[in-house]
Amino acid sequence: MSDAQGPGESGPQTQLPAPPPSSPPPPPPPTAAERGGMRALFLSITGLLLFFLPIPGIALIGLALLIAGVVTGVRARRRARRILTRAPGSIGAIVIGTIGLCLALMGVVLGSLVATEYGDYLKCRSSALTITDKQTCQDRYFPQIEHKLHLPKGSLDRYRSMM
């Protein structure tokens, strides 16, 4: 054997280091169903929080967001079932939105039952000039509200400072 290099050969061969192992590919972006579930959860929670703020206009926005949260959650569940994937947050959105809507419905029913008495109470209270006059308004209208709701006498007394 000769030490002479043959055609196509070049000096001593050095081995190149092995390339680093490739990292796994990035996860695919969330599907429409996955985004819809989280969006629905956000809508339901925001709607529930806004509904219970004591500002009338904001409560209506909260009610609309509760409805939107339930509808979006149901749509996300259906879309996920159709493409055989998950819709994280959609069940929570449906549950929270439904509970919020039930509470809203109970509030509307309760408010409509005592609307006339409570309206008269607010009118009396706004025309009251002294603390004694305000107390007289409570003494006059609270028993009417209790009677209308079939509550025991004096059950609204603990809420006098709030109204």
Side-chain angles (χ1 to χ4, degrees):
M1 242 198 212
S2 77
D3 289 334
Q5 297 174 357
E9 293 181 11
S10 61
Q13 297 289 322
T14 58
Q15 191 172 14
L16 295 173
S22 63
S23 59
T31 64
E34 291 170 337
R35 286 191 314 269
M38 294 309 290
R39 187 178 301 129
L41 186 61
F42 175 76
L43 288 171
S44 291
I45 290 173
T46 305
L48 190 65
L49 293 175
L50 288 179
F51 183 75
F52 287 106
L53 286 178
I55 304 168
I58 299 295
L60 292 176
I61 293 171
L63 184 62
L65 289 176
L66 284 170
I67 293 169
V70 171
V71 169
T72 306
V74 169
R75 284 183 176 177
R77 282 287 289 159
R78 287 182 180 164
R79 188 178 303 129
R81 193 175 308 136
R82 191 174 40 228
I83 62 174
L84 302 174
T85 188
R86 301 174 330 119
S90 62
I91 294 177
I94 295 168
V95 169
I96 291 171
T98 304
I99 289 171
L101 288 173
C102 288
L103 291 173
L105 179 65
M106 289 186 335
V108 168
V109 168
L110 182 65
S112 65
L113 284 175
V114 296
T116 56
E117 288 84 1
Y118 191 67
D120 293 342
Y121 165 71
L122 290 178
K123 197 180 302 179
C124 176
R125 189 169 166 94
S126 68
S127 65
L129 299 175
T130 64
I131 296 175
T132 307
D133 291 342
K134 291 179 182 179
Q135 182 68 35
T136 304
C137 292
Q138 288 179 346
D139 292 341
R140 180 175 175 194
Y141 289 104
F142 277 22
Q144 291 178 7
I145 294 172
E146 289 170 346
H147 177 71
K148 187 98 174 217
L149 296 176
H150 303 287
L151 295 173
K153 285 188 180 221
S155 60
L156 292 179
D157 288 344
R158 68 181 104 160
Y159 303 108
R160 285 183 185 269
S161 62
M162 293 172 33
M163 294 189 196

